[in-house]
Short mmCIF file of all heavy atoms in Angstrom, two decimals:
data_model
loop_
_atom_site.label_atom_id
_atom_site.label_comp_id
_atom_site.label_asym_id
_atom_site.label_seq_id
_atom_site.Cartn_x
_atom_site.Cartn_y
_atom_site.Cartn_z
N MET A 3 11.88 -8.10 45.32
CA MET A 3 12.46 -8.81 44.09
C MET A 3 12.21 -7.86 42.91
O MET A 3 11.18 -7.26 42.71
CB MET A 3 11.72 -10.07 43.96
CG MET A 3 12.46 -11.10 43.09
SD MET A 3 11.71 -12.75 43.12
CE MET A 3 10.51 -12.56 41.83
N GLU A 4 13.15 -7.93 42.07
CA GLU A 4 13.10 -7.09 40.83
C GLU A 4 12.12 -7.71 39.81
O GLU A 4 12.12 -8.90 39.59
CB GLU A 4 14.46 -7.01 40.11
CG GLU A 4 14.54 -6.00 39.04
CD GLU A 4 15.94 -6.02 38.33
OE1 GLU A 4 16.89 -6.29 39.18
OE2 GLU A 4 16.02 -5.79 37.21
N THR A 5 11.27 -6.85 39.26
CA THR A 5 10.26 -7.32 38.29
C THR A 5 10.84 -7.15 36.91
O THR A 5 11.20 -6.06 36.54
CB THR A 5 8.91 -6.65 38.44
OG1 THR A 5 8.57 -6.62 39.77
CG2 THR A 5 7.89 -7.26 37.57
N LYS A 6 10.94 -8.22 36.16
CA LYS A 6 11.46 -8.14 34.82
C LYS A 6 10.30 -7.89 33.91
O LYS A 6 9.29 -8.57 33.88
CB LYS A 6 12.19 -9.47 34.38
CG LYS A 6 13.60 -9.40 34.76
CD LYS A 6 14.38 -10.58 34.13
CE LYS A 6 15.80 -10.59 34.56
NZ LYS A 6 16.52 -11.69 33.99
N ILE A 7 10.43 -6.86 33.01
CA ILE A 7 9.55 -6.63 31.96
C ILE A 7 9.86 -7.45 30.75
O ILE A 7 10.97 -7.21 30.13
CB ILE A 7 9.39 -5.14 31.63
CG1 ILE A 7 9.01 -4.30 32.86
CG2 ILE A 7 8.43 -4.88 30.44
CD1 ILE A 7 9.10 -2.84 32.66
N ARG A 8 9.03 -8.35 30.41
CA ARG A 8 9.36 -9.14 29.16
C ARG A 8 8.93 -8.40 27.95
O ARG A 8 7.91 -7.76 27.89
CB ARG A 8 8.55 -10.49 29.26
CG ARG A 8 9.04 -11.35 30.43
CD ARG A 8 8.35 -12.62 30.45
NE ARG A 8 8.58 -13.45 29.28
CZ ARG A 8 7.88 -14.49 28.95
NH1 ARG A 8 6.78 -14.86 29.70
NH2 ARG A 8 8.17 -15.25 27.92
N LYS A 9 9.80 -8.53 26.93
CA LYS A 9 9.49 -7.80 25.70
C LYS A 9 9.50 -8.74 24.50
O LYS A 9 10.17 -9.74 24.56
CB LYS A 9 10.48 -6.72 25.50
CG LYS A 9 10.39 -5.57 26.49
CD LYS A 9 11.32 -4.44 26.15
CE LYS A 9 11.05 -3.22 27.06
NZ LYS A 9 12.02 -2.18 26.87
N LYS A 10 8.78 -8.38 23.50
CA LYS A 10 8.88 -9.18 22.31
C LYS A 10 8.89 -8.25 21.12
O LYS A 10 8.53 -6.99 21.22
CB LYS A 10 7.71 -10.19 22.17
CG LYS A 10 6.34 -9.47 22.24
CD LYS A 10 5.27 -10.65 22.25
CE LYS A 10 3.89 -10.14 22.53
NZ LYS A 10 2.93 -11.13 22.59
N ARG A 11 9.37 -8.68 19.91
CA ARG A 11 9.50 -7.90 18.78
C ARG A 11 8.27 -7.86 17.91
O ARG A 11 7.62 -8.87 17.71
CB ARG A 11 10.70 -8.36 17.92
CG ARG A 11 12.01 -8.21 18.62
CD ARG A 11 13.22 -8.29 17.69
NE ARG A 11 13.01 -9.40 16.71
CZ ARG A 11 13.76 -9.41 15.57
NH1 ARG A 11 14.63 -8.49 15.31
NH2 ARG A 11 13.60 -10.38 14.72
N LYS A 12 7.97 -6.73 17.40
CA LYS A 12 6.87 -6.57 16.46
C LYS A 12 7.29 -5.71 15.26
O LYS A 12 8.19 -4.86 15.44
CB LYS A 12 5.69 -5.80 17.13
CG LYS A 12 5.13 -6.56 18.29
CD LYS A 12 4.20 -7.73 17.85
CE LYS A 12 3.55 -8.44 19.04
NZ LYS A 12 2.77 -9.55 18.57
N ALA A 13 6.69 -5.92 14.13
CA ALA A 13 7.02 -5.17 12.96
C ALA A 13 6.15 -3.88 12.79
O ALA A 13 4.97 -3.92 13.07
CB ALA A 13 6.81 -6.03 11.72
N PHE A 14 6.73 -2.74 12.43
CA PHE A 14 6.06 -1.53 12.18
C PHE A 14 6.41 -0.92 10.81
O PHE A 14 7.55 -1.11 10.38
CB PHE A 14 6.40 -0.52 13.32
CG PHE A 14 5.94 -0.89 14.65
CD1 PHE A 14 6.62 -1.64 15.47
CD2 PHE A 14 4.64 -0.41 15.09
CE1 PHE A 14 6.22 -2.04 16.71
CE2 PHE A 14 4.25 -0.79 16.37
CZ PHE A 14 4.94 -1.57 17.21
N VAL A 15 5.44 -0.36 10.17
CA VAL A 15 5.63 0.19 8.83
C VAL A 15 5.67 1.71 8.86
O VAL A 15 4.76 2.31 9.56
CB VAL A 15 4.48 -0.24 7.81
CG1 VAL A 15 4.68 0.29 6.45
CG2 VAL A 15 4.35 -1.76 7.76
N GLU A 16 6.62 2.37 8.23
CA GLU A 16 6.64 3.75 7.98
C GLU A 16 5.70 4.01 6.76
O GLU A 16 6.04 3.96 5.74
CB GLU A 16 8.03 4.24 7.59
CG GLU A 16 9.09 4.00 8.68
CD GLU A 16 8.83 4.83 9.98
OE1 GLU A 16 8.20 5.80 9.91
OE2 GLU A 16 9.25 4.36 11.01
N THR A 17 4.41 4.18 7.09
CA THR A 17 3.40 4.23 6.11
C THR A 17 3.54 5.23 5.04
O THR A 17 3.09 4.99 3.86
CB THR A 17 2.04 4.26 6.71
OG1 THR A 17 1.92 5.40 7.55
CG2 THR A 17 1.67 3.03 7.44
N ASP A 18 4.06 6.39 5.32
CA ASP A 18 4.21 7.44 4.31
C ASP A 18 5.12 7.06 3.11
O ASP A 18 4.99 7.43 2.04
CB ASP A 18 4.78 8.72 4.92
CG ASP A 18 3.79 9.45 5.79
OD1 ASP A 18 2.64 9.04 5.78
OD2 ASP A 18 4.23 10.39 6.54
N ASP A 19 6.11 6.14 3.39
CA ASP A 19 7.08 5.81 2.40
C ASP A 19 6.75 4.38 1.84
O ASP A 19 7.57 3.92 0.96
CB ASP A 19 8.44 5.86 2.98
CG ASP A 19 8.88 7.23 3.32
OD1 ASP A 19 8.44 8.14 2.64
OD2 ASP A 19 9.51 7.40 4.39
N CYS A 20 5.70 3.73 2.22
CA CYS A 20 5.38 2.35 1.72
C CYS A 20 4.89 2.55 0.30
O CYS A 20 4.07 3.45 0.04
CB CYS A 20 4.36 1.74 2.63
SG CYS A 20 3.62 0.28 1.95
N VAL A 21 5.31 1.68 -0.65
CA VAL A 21 4.83 1.79 -2.00
C VAL A 21 3.81 0.70 -2.35
O VAL A 21 3.39 0.56 -3.51
CB VAL A 21 6.00 1.66 -3.03
CG1 VAL A 21 6.96 2.84 -2.83
CG2 VAL A 21 6.83 0.38 -2.83
N ALA A 22 3.30 0.08 -1.31
CA ALA A 22 2.21 -0.90 -1.46
C ALA A 22 2.51 -2.02 -2.50
O ALA A 22 1.55 -2.45 -3.15
CB ALA A 22 0.88 -0.20 -1.81
N CYS A 23 3.73 -2.41 -2.50
CA CYS A 23 4.13 -3.42 -3.49
C CYS A 23 3.68 -4.88 -3.17
O CYS A 23 3.52 -5.72 -3.98
CB CYS A 23 5.62 -3.53 -3.70
SG CYS A 23 6.48 -4.01 -2.18
N GLY A 24 3.39 -5.08 -1.81
CA GLY A 24 2.86 -6.36 -1.36
C GLY A 24 3.91 -7.40 -1.18
O GLY A 24 3.58 -8.57 -0.78
N CYS A 25 5.18 -7.09 -1.27
CA CYS A 25 6.22 -8.14 -1.05
C CYS A 25 6.16 -8.65 0.34
O CYS A 25 6.43 -9.84 0.58
CB CYS A 25 7.61 -7.47 -1.33
SG CYS A 25 7.89 -6.97 -3.00
N CYS A 26 5.97 -7.70 1.29
CA CYS A 26 5.89 -8.12 2.73
C CYS A 26 4.74 -9.08 2.91
O CYS A 26 4.92 -10.10 3.72
CB CYS A 26 5.86 -6.93 3.63
SG CYS A 26 4.41 -5.87 3.15
N VAL A 27 3.60 -8.88 2.34
CA VAL A 27 2.46 -9.76 2.48
C VAL A 27 2.81 -11.15 2.12
O VAL A 27 2.40 -12.12 2.81
CB VAL A 27 1.29 -9.22 1.61
CG1 VAL A 27 0.09 -10.16 1.73
CG2 VAL A 27 0.90 -7.78 2.03
N LYS A 28 3.55 -11.35 0.98
CA LYS A 28 3.81 -12.71 0.45
C LYS A 28 4.67 -13.47 1.36
O LYS A 28 4.58 -14.70 1.42
CB LYS A 28 4.42 -12.56 -0.93
CG LYS A 28 3.50 -12.13 -2.00
CD LYS A 28 4.22 -12.01 -3.38
CE LYS A 28 3.36 -11.14 -4.32
NZ LYS A 28 4.16 -10.57 -5.33
N VAL A 29 5.61 -12.83 2.12
CA VAL A 29 6.56 -13.61 2.91
C VAL A 29 6.14 -13.84 4.34
O VAL A 29 6.74 -14.65 5.05
CB VAL A 29 7.98 -12.97 2.91
CG1 VAL A 29 8.57 -12.93 1.43
CG2 VAL A 29 7.98 -11.57 3.43
N CYS A 30 5.15 -13.11 4.72
CA CYS A 30 4.78 -13.19 6.22
C CYS A 30 4.20 -14.59 6.53
O CYS A 30 3.24 -14.93 5.94
CB CYS A 30 3.74 -12.15 6.61
SG CYS A 30 3.20 -12.27 8.26
N PRO A 31 4.79 -15.32 7.40
CA PRO A 31 4.29 -16.71 7.79
C PRO A 31 3.09 -16.72 8.56
O PRO A 31 2.38 -17.70 8.70
CB PRO A 31 5.50 -17.34 8.54
CG PRO A 31 6.15 -16.10 9.18
CD PRO A 31 5.99 -15.03 8.21
N ARG A 32 2.71 -15.60 9.14
CA ARG A 32 1.51 -15.54 9.98
C ARG A 32 0.35 -14.77 9.30
O ARG A 32 -0.61 -14.60 9.92
CB ARG A 32 1.84 -14.80 11.29
CG ARG A 32 2.92 -15.53 12.10
CD ARG A 32 2.49 -16.94 12.48
NE ARG A 32 1.32 -16.93 13.27
CZ ARG A 32 1.39 -16.92 14.65
NH1 ARG A 32 2.51 -16.91 15.25
NH2 ARG A 32 0.23 -16.85 15.33
N ASP A 33 0.48 -14.40 8.11
CA ASP A 33 -0.54 -13.76 7.34
C ASP A 33 -1.06 -12.44 8.12
O ASP A 33 -2.20 -12.21 8.29
CB ASP A 33 -1.76 -14.71 7.13
CG ASP A 33 -2.64 -14.29 5.99
OD1 ASP A 33 -2.12 -13.53 5.14
OD2 ASP A 33 -3.77 -14.83 5.86
N ALA A 34 -0.04 -11.73 8.63
CA ALA A 34 -0.29 -10.60 9.52
C ALA A 34 -0.35 -9.25 8.81
O ALA A 34 -0.61 -8.22 9.48
CB ALA A 34 0.79 -10.54 10.61
N ILE A 35 -0.13 -9.27 7.52
CA ILE A 35 0.04 -7.99 6.78
C ILE A 35 -1.07 -7.96 5.65
O ILE A 35 -1.29 -8.92 4.93
CB ILE A 35 1.39 -7.78 6.14
CG1 ILE A 35 2.56 -8.10 7.11
CG2 ILE A 35 1.55 -6.35 5.62
CD1 ILE A 35 3.90 -8.06 6.51
N GLU A 36 -1.65 -6.80 5.56
CA GLU A 36 -2.57 -6.55 4.42
C GLU A 36 -2.18 -5.23 3.78
O GLU A 36 -1.61 -4.32 4.42
CB GLU A 36 -3.99 -6.56 4.88
CG GLU A 36 -4.33 -5.48 5.79
CD GLU A 36 -5.88 -5.28 6.09
OE1 GLU A 36 -6.66 -5.77 5.27
OE2 GLU A 36 -6.13 -4.70 7.10
N ILE A 37 -2.55 -5.07 2.48
CA ILE A 37 -2.33 -3.73 1.83
C ILE A 37 -3.68 -3.00 2.02
O ILE A 37 -4.71 -3.29 1.45
CB ILE A 37 -2.06 -3.87 0.39
CG1 ILE A 37 -0.75 -4.75 0.15
CG2 ILE A 37 -1.89 -2.51 -0.30
CD1 ILE A 37 0.46 -4.13 0.79
N TRP A 38 -3.65 -1.97 2.87
CA TRP A 38 -4.84 -1.19 3.27
C TRP A 38 -5.24 -0.33 2.26
O TRP A 38 -4.46 0.59 1.77
CB TRP A 38 -4.54 -0.51 4.58
CG TRP A 38 -5.69 0.27 5.14
CD1 TRP A 38 -6.77 -0.22 5.76
CD2 TRP A 38 -5.86 1.76 5.01
NE1 TRP A 38 -7.62 0.82 6.13
CE2 TRP A 38 -7.07 2.02 5.69
CE3 TRP A 38 -5.06 2.70 4.58
CZ2 TRP A 38 -7.48 3.32 5.82
CZ3 TRP A 38 -5.52 4.05 4.65
CH2 TRP A 38 -6.79 4.31 5.24
N LYS A 39 -6.42 -0.52 1.59
CA LYS A 39 -7.00 0.31 0.56
C LYS A 39 -6.05 0.53 -0.62
O LYS A 39 -6.14 1.55 -1.24
CB LYS A 39 -7.43 1.69 1.15
CG LYS A 39 -8.58 1.60 2.14
CD LYS A 39 -9.09 2.94 2.57
CE LYS A 39 -10.31 2.82 3.45
NZ LYS A 39 -10.84 4.13 3.85
N GLY A 40 -5.16 -0.38 -0.85
CA GLY A 40 -4.22 -0.31 -1.96
C GLY A 40 -3.16 0.84 -1.73
O GLY A 40 -2.46 1.15 -2.72
N ILE A 41 -3.09 1.33 -0.53
CA ILE A 41 -2.24 2.49 -0.34
C ILE A 41 -1.00 2.08 0.52
O ILE A 41 0.15 2.51 0.12
CB ILE A 41 -2.96 3.55 0.47
CG1 ILE A 41 -4.22 4.01 -0.26
CG2 ILE A 41 -2.09 4.75 0.81
CD1 ILE A 41 -5.12 4.88 0.59
N THR A 42 -1.18 1.35 1.55
CA THR A 42 -0.05 1.01 2.42
C THR A 42 -0.20 -0.28 3.10
O THR A 42 -1.37 -0.79 3.32
CB THR A 42 0.11 2.14 3.42
OG1 THR A 42 1.28 1.91 4.23
CG2 THR A 42 -1.11 2.24 4.38
N ALA A 43 0.92 -0.84 3.52
CA ALA A 43 0.90 -2.15 4.29
C ALA A 43 0.44 -1.79 5.64
O ALA A 43 0.82 -0.76 6.27
CB ALA A 43 2.28 -2.76 4.29
N LYS A 44 -0.37 -2.71 6.19
CA LYS A 44 -0.85 -2.59 7.58
C LYS A 44 -0.70 -3.89 8.24
O LYS A 44 -0.96 -4.94 7.79
CB LYS A 44 -2.36 -2.21 7.47
CG LYS A 44 -2.89 -1.63 8.81
CD LYS A 44 -4.32 -1.24 8.54
CE LYS A 44 -4.95 -0.81 9.78
NZ LYS A 44 -6.43 -0.48 9.62
N ILE A 45 0.03 -3.82 9.46
CA ILE A 45 0.37 -5.03 10.19
C ILE A 45 -0.49 -5.27 11.35
O ILE A 45 -0.72 -4.35 12.14
CB ILE A 45 1.86 -4.97 10.62
CG1 ILE A 45 2.75 -4.91 9.41
CG2 ILE A 45 2.21 -6.14 11.48
CD1 ILE A 45 4.26 -4.68 9.69
N ARG A 46 -1.08 -6.45 11.44
CA ARG A 46 -1.92 -6.81 12.63
C ARG A 46 -0.93 -7.30 13.74
O ARG A 46 -0.37 -8.41 13.66
CB ARG A 46 -2.94 -7.92 12.31
CG ARG A 46 -4.04 -7.54 11.47
CD ARG A 46 -5.09 -8.63 11.34
NE ARG A 46 -4.58 -9.84 10.77
CZ ARG A 46 -4.46 -10.95 11.28
NH1 ARG A 46 -4.91 -11.24 12.54
NH2 ARG A 46 -3.88 -12.06 10.67
N LEU A 47 -0.67 -6.40 14.71
CA LEU A 47 0.37 -6.73 15.68
C LEU A 47 0.06 -7.90 16.50
O LEU A 47 0.99 -8.66 16.93
CB LEU A 47 0.50 -5.47 16.61
CG LEU A 47 1.12 -4.21 15.95
CD1 LEU A 47 1.29 -3.13 17.00
CD2 LEU A 47 2.43 -4.56 15.30
N GLU A 48 -1.24 -8.24 16.67
CA GLU A 48 -1.58 -9.45 17.51
C GLU A 48 -1.20 -10.69 16.78
O GLU A 48 -0.89 -11.74 17.45
CB GLU A 48 -3.03 -9.43 17.90
CG GLU A 48 -3.99 -9.60 16.75
CD GLU A 48 -4.38 -8.35 15.97
OE1 GLU A 48 -3.75 -7.32 16.12
OE2 GLU A 48 -5.45 -8.37 15.28
N ALA A 49 -1.06 -10.66 15.49
CA ALA A 49 -0.58 -11.92 14.73
C ALA A 49 0.89 -11.91 14.43
O ALA A 49 1.42 -12.94 14.23
CB ALA A 49 -1.41 -11.94 13.36
N CYS A 50 1.54 -10.70 14.50
CA CYS A 50 2.91 -10.72 14.16
C CYS A 50 3.76 -11.36 15.29
O CYS A 50 3.59 -11.13 16.40
CB CYS A 50 3.35 -9.19 14.12
SG CYS A 50 5.15 -8.95 13.93
N VAL A 51 4.83 -12.18 14.82
CA VAL A 51 5.60 -12.87 15.71
C VAL A 51 7.11 -12.28 15.69
O VAL A 51 8.03 -12.86 16.27
CB VAL A 51 5.72 -14.37 15.54
CG1 VAL A 51 4.33 -15.02 15.86
CG2 VAL A 51 6.10 -14.71 14.04
N GLY A 52 7.24 -11.20 14.96
CA GLY A 52 8.56 -10.48 15.02
C GLY A 52 9.67 -11.28 14.33
O GLY A 52 10.81 -11.10 14.60
N CYS A 53 9.34 -12.05 13.28
CA CYS A 53 10.37 -12.89 12.65
C CYS A 53 11.26 -12.01 11.79
O CYS A 53 12.50 -12.42 11.45
CB CYS A 53 9.80 -13.92 11.78
SG CYS A 53 8.82 -13.34 10.31
N GLY A 54 10.87 -10.88 11.23
CA GLY A 54 11.60 -9.97 10.46
C GLY A 54 11.69 -10.26 8.98
O GLY A 54 12.42 -9.59 8.18
N LYS A 55 11.00 -11.27 8.57
CA LYS A 55 11.00 -11.63 7.16
C LYS A 55 10.49 -10.39 6.20
O LYS A 55 11.00 -10.19 5.20
CB LYS A 55 10.19 -12.83 6.82
CG LYS A 55 10.81 -14.19 7.30
CD LYS A 55 9.95 -15.32 6.87
CE LYS A 55 10.69 -16.59 7.29
NZ LYS A 55 9.94 -17.81 6.96
N CYS A 56 9.49 -9.80 6.71
CA CYS A 56 8.93 -8.66 5.88
C CYS A 56 9.90 -7.54 5.80
O CYS A 56 10.04 -6.92 4.71
CB CYS A 56 7.65 -8.19 6.61
SG CYS A 56 7.87 -7.69 8.37
N ALA A 57 10.57 -7.24 6.85
CA ALA A 57 11.58 -6.17 6.87
C ALA A 57 12.75 -6.48 5.92
O ALA A 57 13.18 -5.56 5.20
CB ALA A 57 12.17 -5.94 8.22
N ARG A 58 13.17 -7.74 5.81
CA ARG A 58 14.26 -8.10 4.98
C ARG A 58 13.77 -8.00 3.47
O ARG A 58 14.57 -7.78 2.58
CB ARG A 58 14.75 -9.51 5.23
CG ARG A 58 15.64 -9.59 6.52
CD ARG A 58 16.38 -10.88 6.62
NE ARG A 58 15.48 -12.02 6.82
CZ ARG A 58 15.04 -12.38 8.02
NH1 ARG A 58 15.36 -11.73 9.08
NH2 ARG A 58 14.20 -13.38 8.16
N GLU A 59 12.52 -8.31 3.26
CA GLU A 59 12.00 -8.30 1.91
C GLU A 59 11.64 -6.98 1.37
O GLU A 59 11.65 -6.77 0.10
CB GLU A 59 10.72 -9.21 1.84
CG GLU A 59 10.37 -9.82 0.49
CD GLU A 59 11.41 -10.79 0.05
OE1 GLU A 59 12.19 -11.38 0.80
OE2 GLU A 59 11.44 -10.90 -1.22
N CYS A 60 11.31 -6.01 2.18
CA CYS A 60 10.72 -4.74 1.72
C CYS A 60 11.72 -3.95 0.93
O CYS A 60 12.89 -3.60 1.47
CB CYS A 60 10.39 -3.90 2.98
SG CYS A 60 9.80 -2.24 2.59
N PRO A 61 11.48 -3.65 -0.37
CA PRO A 61 12.39 -2.92 -1.25
C PRO A 61 12.56 -1.51 -0.88
O PRO A 61 13.57 -0.87 -1.20
CB PRO A 61 11.74 -3.04 -2.63
CG PRO A 61 10.30 -3.31 -2.36
CD PRO A 61 10.25 -4.10 -1.08
N ALA A 62 11.64 -0.98 -0.15
CA ALA A 62 11.72 0.47 0.31
C ALA A 62 12.33 0.57 1.70
O ALA A 62 12.48 1.72 2.17
CB ALA A 62 10.26 1.05 0.18
N SER A 63 12.59 -0.51 2.39
CA SER A 63 13.21 -0.48 3.67
C SER A 63 12.31 0.38 4.64
O SER A 63 12.88 1.15 5.40
CB SER A 63 14.58 0.06 3.70
OG SER A 63 15.44 -0.76 2.86
N VAL A 64 11.08 0.11 4.65
CA VAL A 64 10.26 0.94 5.50
C VAL A 64 9.63 0.14 6.71
O VAL A 64 8.77 0.63 7.43
CB VAL A 64 9.10 1.70 4.76
CG1 VAL A 64 9.65 2.60 3.76
CG2 VAL A 64 8.22 0.66 4.11
N ILE A 65 10.13 -1.10 6.83
CA ILE A 65 9.64 -1.88 7.98
C ILE A 65 10.70 -2.02 9.03
O ILE A 65 11.83 -2.40 8.66
CB ILE A 65 9.09 -3.32 7.55
CG1 ILE A 65 8.06 -3.16 6.51
CG2 ILE A 65 8.61 -4.12 8.77
CD1 ILE A 65 7.53 -4.52 5.98
N THR A 66 10.42 -1.75 10.21
CA THR A 66 11.31 -1.92 11.34
C THR A 66 10.85 -2.82 12.39
O THR A 66 9.55 -2.89 12.65
CB THR A 66 11.63 -0.49 11.99
OG1 THR A 66 10.43 0.15 12.39
CG2 THR A 66 12.48 0.39 11.02
N LEU A 67 11.68 -3.44 13.07
CA LEU A 67 11.28 -4.33 14.19
C LEU A 67 11.57 -3.63 15.46
O LEU A 67 12.66 -3.10 15.71
CB LEU A 67 12.09 -5.66 14.17
CG LEU A 67 11.57 -6.80 13.25
CD1 LEU A 67 10.33 -7.40 13.88
CD2 LEU A 67 11.32 -6.35 11.88
N ARG A 68 10.61 -3.52 16.38
CA ARG A 68 10.80 -2.85 17.63
C ARG A 68 10.40 -3.72 18.71
O ARG A 68 9.51 -4.53 18.58
CB ARG A 68 9.92 -1.61 17.70
CG ARG A 68 10.30 -0.53 16.66
CD ARG A 68 9.45 0.79 16.78
NE ARG A 68 9.38 1.38 15.54
CZ ARG A 68 8.45 2.26 15.18
NH1 ARG A 68 7.38 2.42 15.98
NH2 ARG A 68 8.40 2.85 14.05
N GLU A 69 11.07 -3.48 19.90
CA GLU A 69 10.66 -4.27 21.05
C GLU A 69 9.47 -3.58 21.76
O GLU A 69 9.47 -2.39 21.89
CB GLU A 69 11.75 -4.44 22.00
CG GLU A 69 12.87 -5.34 21.50
CD GLU A 69 13.81 -5.73 22.68
OE1 GLU A 69 13.94 -4.89 23.61
OE2 GLU A 69 14.38 -6.79 22.69
N VAL A 70 8.47 -4.35 22.12
CA VAL A 70 7.31 -3.84 22.85
C VAL A 70 7.09 -4.66 24.09
O VAL A 70 7.42 -5.85 24.10
CB VAL A 70 6.10 -3.87 21.96
CG1 VAL A 70 6.20 -2.90 20.69
CG2 VAL A 70 5.71 -5.28 21.45
N PRO A 71 6.52 -4.12 25.14
CA PRO A 71 6.19 -4.86 26.28
C PRO A 71 5.22 -5.92 26.00
O PRO A 71 4.29 -5.76 25.21
CB PRO A 71 5.59 -3.79 27.23
CG PRO A 71 5.95 -2.53 26.66
CD PRO A 71 6.04 -2.65 25.23
N GLN A 72 5.44 -7.10 26.62
CA GLN A 72 4.50 -8.22 26.41
C GLN A 72 3.20 -8.12 27.07
O GLN A 72 3.11 -7.46 28.04
CB GLN A 72 5.18 -9.53 26.84
CG GLN A 72 5.00 -10.66 25.89
CD GLN A 72 5.98 -11.80 26.20
OE1 GLN A 72 6.50 -11.83 27.29
NE2 GLN A 72 6.25 -12.60 25.22
S1 LIG B 115 7.78 -9.69 11.42
FE1 LIG B 115 7.29 -11.77 10.54
S2 LIG B 115 5.19 -12.24 11.53
FE2 LIG B 115 5.57 -9.99 11.78
S3 LIG B 115 4.62 -9.07 10.07
FE3 LIG B 115 6.76 -9.34 9.45
S4 LIG B 115 6.86 -11.30 8.42
FE4 LIG B 115 4.84 -11.17 9.54
S1 LIG B 116 7.29 -4.64 1.15
FE1 LIG B 116 7.54 -2.57 2.01
S2 LIG B 116 6.95 -1.07 0.41
FE2 LIG B 116 6.11 -3.13 -0.11
S3 LIG B 116 4.00 -3.17 0.75
FE3 LIG B 116 5.39 -4.02 2.31
S4 LIG B 116 5.95 -2.28 3.58
FE4 LIG B 116 5.14 -1.44 1.72
#
C-alpha cells in the first residue's frame, strides 16, 4: 500500500530583508511571531497554523508559506 506523506503549511521569514516593523506580529491569530532582539521577525513553527495572514500583511513581502512534512 502506498504511504501518503501528509504535509502542512508553515510560515518562514527571509530574515535578512525583514525590517522588524511588527505588522506580522499584530495579525497572527496564534501569537506565533516575535520580533527577535528588535532585529527580525521570528516564527515559532510549532504554533504556526499556516493561515498566511502574516505573509499578506508584510510590507516587505519577506514571509513565504511552505509545505512541510507533518
Ligand atoms: S501563517 Fe498564520 S499562524 Fe503562521 S505565523 Fe503567519 S499569521 Fe501566524
Ligand atoms: S511584517 Fe514583514 S517586515 Fe514586518 S516584522 Fe513581519 S516579517 Fe518583518
